[in-house]
Amino acid sequence: MSRNPVAPGHAVQAHINLNSLRYNLDQVRQRAPKSRVLAVIKANAYGHGLIRVANALEGADAFAVARLEEAAQLRSAGIQKPIVLLEGVQDVQSLAMASSLSCQIVVHSEYQLDLLCLSPELKTPALKTPVDVWLKLDTGMHRLGLSPDSFPHVWQSLKENSAVAENIRLMTHLACADELNHPATNKQLALFREITNGIDAERSIANSAAILSWPDAYSEPNQAWVRPGVMLYGVSPFAGKTADEQGLKPVMTLSSSLIGVNLCKKGDAIGYGGIWECPEDMPVGIVAIGYGDGYPRHVDEGTPVLLNGKRVPIVGRVSMDMITVDLRNQPSAQVGDPVILWGEGLPVEEVAQHAGTIAYELLCQVTSRVAFVDSKIED
Ligand SMILES: *Cc1c(COP(=O)(O)O)cnc(C)c1O
C-alpha cells in the first residue's frame, strides 16, 4: 500500500482490487466448471460499489440483486446483462418497472402469482414482453420460497400464464451451508430433488458456502446456475477457515494513517470512558478511522490493525473518527505511517470475529465518507 494517499484529502480509503475480484470469479468457474454464474452484487456489491463491480465482472453470466432500485442503477449505468431480482416484486407497479428494465423475477410467494394474473387491462401496460421467472422453493430456510405443498400448483399456473416467459427456472436457498457438517443441507438438497423431480428446468441452489463445500448443490447436470456472493469479494463464508485457504483474494483493503503519537505515562487512561490504562510508560498511536467510516465500534480490546505492515493492537474505545493503538512494538512509528484496517495482509473475517459479527456486515457498512479507489485492471 502506498504511503501517499491515492485520493488526496481523504483520510480513509477503500482500495478495490478489481484483479482480485476477477481472480475470485475464476475460482468459482474452476469449482463449478459446468455451471453458469449468477454473480450476486446486492447491497452495493457487498459494499464494494455496484457499478464498479458489475463492470469488472463482465465474465459473469448474469447478476443478482435484492431490490428493484439496484437493478435500475445497473441499467442506468448501461449494464446489459440479465439481472435477477432475488426478492421478486411486491406490487403491480414494481412488476411493470421490473419488466421495463428487463429484469428476471424470483417468485417466492403465492401473492406474486396474483400480480402476474391480473386482468388484461392492468397487465398490458405492465408487461410488453413475458417476464422471466425463477420459482423459489422453500426447502427448510423458512424465509422466502413456496412451501413444498403449494409448489406444484404454482409451477403449473406459471406455466400456463402468458405473462411468464417459457423457460421458468427453479431455485432454493441453503440455510446452513457454511457449517460443514450440518445435517440440514443434505435434507434441503434431498427435498429440492424430490419436489422438483421430473420437471425439465434449469436449477440453482449454491451460494458461496455451497460452491466451496457442497458439490451436490451444483454438480448435477440440471443444476445450471451457481450464485456466489461473498466469495467473489475474497471472503470466506466459513467461521475459522480463511479465504486464503479457499484460494480467494481479498478485494477491499481499507486503509488510513497515523495522525498522532502520544508518549503516555503508566496509568494514563485512553479515550472515551478511560476503559484502558497504560500498564507502563508507552507510546500510543492515533489512527484516523472510526465508526463514522464504518469501522465497527464493538471490536474487542487487542483487535489488530496493520501499521507499516505489522500488527499492532487497538486499545481503548473506537470513536467516531479515530482509534487508538498500542505502539510498544513499533516505538518509532510516525505520523503519516500507513495503517490497514482490513484487506490485504489482514483478513476482514478476523476483524469481524473481534467485532462479534460476520465479514458481510463490515463490508456493507463502510460509509460514504470513505474514498473508494479502484486498482487498475491488468489483462
Ligand atoms: C445473498 C444471496 C446469495 C449469495 O450468498 P453468499 O453467501 O454471499 O454467497 C445467494 N443466493 C441468494 C438467494 C442470496 O440472497
Side-chain angles (χ1 to χ4, degrees):
M1 196 59 43
S2 97
R3 248 175 111 109
N4 301 321
V6 183
H10 286 270
V12 182
Q13 308 189 3
H15 290 255
I16 305 298
N17 189 328
L18 300 174
N19 292 328
S20 297
L21 184 67
R22 292 174 165 203
Y23 178 91
N24 297 332
L25 175 60
D26 283 347
Q27 296 301 303
V28 175
R29 295 262 184 225
Q30 284 188 19
R31 302 228 178 207
K34 294 185 196 132
S35 303
R36 271 167 282 167
V37 176
L38 181 51
V40 181
I41 56 174
K42 63 195 179 190
N44 196 29
Y46 291 47
H48 293 68
L50 180 66
I51 305 305
R52 154 190 307 114
V53 166
N55 281 325
L57 288 180
E58 61 200 17
D61 297 292
F63 293 131
V65 293
R67 310 266 167 79
L68 196 51
E69 58 268 34
E70 298 171 321
Q73 282 177 45
L74 287 170
R75 291 294 184 235
S76 301
I79 304 291
Q80 291 178 351
K81 270 192 211 303
I83 300 175
V84 179
L85 289 179
L86 292 172
E87 292 180 0
V89 289
Q90 288 72 50
D91 52 55
V92 187
Q93 290 77 13
S94 307
L95 176 60
M97 195 170 155
S99 168
S100 71
L101 294 169
S102 299
C103 289
Q104 306 180 1
I105 60 169
V106 170
V107 169
H108 53 73
S109 301
E110 291 196 56
Y111 79 85
Q112 293 173 311
L113 202 57
D114 300 339
L115 300 175
L116 291 160
C117 294
L118 289 168
S119 67
E121 315 85 73
L122 268 174
K123 206 160 66 188
T124 314
L127 298 182
K128 294 202 184 70
T129 53
V131 65
D132 279 293
V133 166
W134 295 67
L135 182 55
K136 186 167 190 175
L137 175 66
D138 174 17
T139 51
M141 176 134 181
H142 303 306
R143 199 177 58 179
L144 294 183
L146 290 149
S147 70
D149 286 346
S150 54
F151 188 85
H153 91 85
V154 174
W155 162 254
Q156 198 55 40
S157 84
L158 284 173
K159 268 187 30 171
E160 290 161 5
N161 190 323
S162 61
V164 175
E166 218 166 289
N167 293 320
I168 300 168
R169 300 182 176 99
L170 308 178
M171 66 184 288
T172 194
H173 196 48
L174 300 173
C176 305
D178 59 329
E179 294 177 50
L180 299 173
N181 298 310
H182 204 294
T185 301
N186 281 325
K187 271 197 202 160
Q188 285 195 264
L189 293 174
L191 184 59
F192 188 70
R193 224 174 274 131
E194 180 195 326
I195 301 297
T196 64
N197 188 29
I199 296 180
D200 179 22
E202 293 174 2
R203 289 154 169 75
S204 175
I205 305 172
N207 59 1
S208 297
I211 293 166
L212 293 165
S213 290
W214 299 89
D216 283 358
Y218 58 86
S219 48
E220 287 173 21
N222 60 12
Q223 293 165 342
W225 294 85
V226 291
R227 305 193 304 272
V230 82
M231 72 179 284
L232 291 174
Y233 309 99
V235 171
S236 166
F238 308 107
K241 253 194 173 186
T242 65
D244 196 44
E245 284 166 10
Q246 314 283 321
L248 303 171
K249 295 183 177 174
V251 174
M252 181 194 292
T253 296
L254 188 68
S255 66
S256 182
S257 59
L258 210 57
I259 59 166
V261 176
N262 293 331
L263 300 173
C264 293
K265 294 273 180 254
K266 179 177 180 181
D268 283 354
I270 307 298
Y272 285 121
I275 59 166
W276 196 84
E277 284 184 14
C278 297
E280 58 185 319
D281 292 1
M282 60 181 279
V284 171
I286 324 297
V287 181
I289 189 151
Y291 60 82
D293 305 293
Y295 192 83
R297 182 169 177 276
H298 289 290
V299 290
D300 50 29
E301 188 189 308
T303 302
V305 308
L306 286 186
L307 169 62
N308 296 313
K310 279 178 16 199
R311 287 173 179 237
V312 294
I314 292 182
V315 294
R317 280 203 184 126
V318 171
S319 333
M320 187 182 288
D321 315 302
M322 283 168 271
I323 57 173
T324 35
V325 294
D326 178 345
L327 292 183
R328 279 177 292 178
N329 66 9
Q330 285 197 56
S332 55
Q334 295 172 16
V335 167
D337 284 357
V339 175
I340 288 176
L341 289 310
W342 65 62
E344 285 172 28
L346 181 58
V348 63
E349 298 94 308
E350 189 178 336
V351 181
Q353 207 162 10
H354 281 284
T357 184
I358 54 174
Y360 296 71
E361 188 183 21
L362 296 193
L363 294 172
C364 285
Q365 272 177 359
V366 174
T367 68
S368 58
R369 185 164 72 175
V370 173
F372 279 70
V373 183
D374 296 358
S375 65
K376 284 209 191 78
I377 288 185
E378 298 136 24
D379 284 314

